[in-house]
Amino acid sequence: MTKHLLLVEDEPLAQARISTIIRKHRPDWVVADTVQSISELEQALKNQAIFDLILCDIHLADGLSFRAFQNKKIKIPIIFITAYDEYALQSFEHNCIDYVLKPIQEERLVKAFEKVESLSQSPVSEGFSSEFVDKFIQRYTQKTFKRRFLTKTGTKLSFTSVEEIAFFYAEGGVTFLVTSNSSQKFMIDHSLNELETELLDPNKFYRINRSFIINLDNLLEMKPYHNGRLVLSLNAKSEEVIVVARERVNEFKSWIDQ
């Protein structure tokens, strides 16, 4: 029987992997729409009647996909895709929602399809409660953040703790961290997006523009700058003027005043 699927996945390789497995094992199933962000998922859920199944990655680039389900009655079976903690898996089991771990194993995803088919005779009245979603987000976001970064100088490897970092910046597709006081610069193997959304404590680090993330503990002074922006002085030297983008100024001031 044909099913129309909503695929929620922002990683191209994972999208391709899932689509290949569907074509191989359920050739009559159709991926009716693919979304890659919370806002796109919220929009798609306005027309959830056109879908028979949702395949949903938990962690999208702009946050937890669960946020799109808040205060909504979901009447579609959902297979969640996750690379994360045991709590998530236990929660799914207790709420009769299936899950597939990354990296995606073909056999495991097919079993999830079979589970959906076995439940097809009993339509889902509500996939999970709003209370469950709220508790899940609260628990899931209580995570530990990166405490140190591996850095390299010549052939020497060392660690830099986050407390020693004044700011991160990206240049020419490469990300650097700069230490406070000594202003040493080290190249690291993380993008600014990864640092901002996954690795750094948002109460201590803030992305002031497309190229810079600063450590609040190393902020010395801020002054008005051209076109409604702010220029910052940090406890480290920078080759560039460190400026808060105009569209982020109000949010940045609120963040400072936390």
Side-chain angles (χ1 to χ4, degrees):
M1 179 179 177
T2 300
K3 288 187 181 295
H4 294 84
L5 280 60
L6 171 61
L7 176 56
V8 185
E9 176 58 72
D10 62 350
E11 297 180 12
L13 290 178
Q15 284 184 20
R17 172 74 169 155
I18 292 168
S19 297
T20 298
I21 294 172
I22 291 171
R23 286 195 298 269
K24 179 179 178 181
H25 294 275
R26 297 295 187 276
D28 54 335
W29 289 14
V30 178
V31 177
D33 195 8
T34 301
V35 299
Q36 302 181 50
S37 67
I38 296 172
S39 59
E40 289 179 356
L41 176 55
E42 289 175 333
Q43 189 64 33
L45 290 175
K46 292 180 180 179
N47 301 300
Q48 60 176 294
I50 67 176
F51 304 111
D52 302 300
L53 173 65
I54 300 175
L55 298 177
C56 185
D57 193 351
I58 288 179
H59 199 287
L60 303 175
D62 58 345
L64 295 176
S65 58
F66 264 67
R67 297 191 185 281
F69 298 117
Q70 287 181 294
N71 303 316
K72 294 183 179 67
K73 289 186 177 181
I74 307 301
K75 300 182 178 181
I76 315 168
I78 303 174
I79 297 173
F80 281 103
I81 301 167
T82 177
Y84 292 91
D85 60 35
E86 182 180 359
Y87 172 79
L89 310 188
Q90 292 172 347
S91 297
F92 297 154
E93 291 169 351
H94 294 164
N95 288 271
C96 300
I97 301 170
D98 211 349
Y99 62 87
V100 176
L101 286 173
K102 286 186 173 182
I104 298 169
Q105 295 182 357
E106 183 172 340
E107 182 181 356
R108 180 67 186 88
L109 184 56
V110 172
K111 285 185 177 180
F113 292 161
E114 292 171 352
K115 182 176 180 180
V116 170
E117 290 171 327
S118 70
L119 297 174
S120 62
Q121 301 304 315
S122 302
V124 179
S125 59
E126 185 175 352
F128 37 80
S129 68
S130 295
E131 182 182 6
F132 168 69
V133 174
D134 293 340
K135 286 183 177 179
F136 181 90
I137 290 174
Q138 181 180 7
R139 177 70 177 271
Y140 201 86
T141 53
Q142 289 175 348
K143 58 180 290 186
T144 57
F145 298 98
K146 197 165 180 64
R147 293 178 294 175
R148 64 185 69 88
F149 287 84
L150 180 66
T151 55
K152 183 178 180 180
T153 305
T155 58
K156 180 182 178 182
L157 296 174
S158 60
F159 288 100
T160 302
S161 69
V162 292
E163 290 80 8
E164 299 175 76
I165 300 170
F167 61 90
F168 297 87
Y169 75 97
E171 184 178 64
V174 179
T175 306
F176 299 91
L177 68 79
V178 176
T179 61
S180 57
N181 298 320
S182 63
S183 299
Q184 287 184 284
K185 180 174 73 172
F186 299 98
M187 184 173 63
I188 59 172
D189 293 327
H190 300 287
S191 68
L192 289 187
N193 284 340
E194 187 181 5
L195 292 170
E196 179 186 21
T197 61
E198 298 181 27
L199 302 179
L200 298 176
D201 183 349
N203 292 314
K204 292 184 176 295
F205 290 88
Y206 186 88
R207 187 167 184 176
I208 59 171
N209 57 44
R210 293 176 61 185
S211 303
F212 277 81
I213 296 175
I214 70 158
N215 183 348
L216 173 61
D217 292 338
N218 282 274
L219 176 61
L220 299 178
E221 187 179 44
M222 56 184 182
K223 296 180 180 179
Y225 198 59
H226 308 302
N227 299 321
R229 296 174 293 171
L230 291 174
V231 61
L232 307 181
S233 297
L234 302 176
N235 193 18
K237 295 180 181 179
S238 171
E239 296 175 0
E240 296 183 34
V241 178
I242 301 177
V243 176
V244 181
R246 182 172 58 183
E247 65 273 14
R248 297 198 173 200
V249 166
N250 289 335
E251 184 181 84
F252 177 70
K253 288 180 178 178
S254 296
W255 178 76
I256 289 289
D257 195 31
Q258 59 187 311

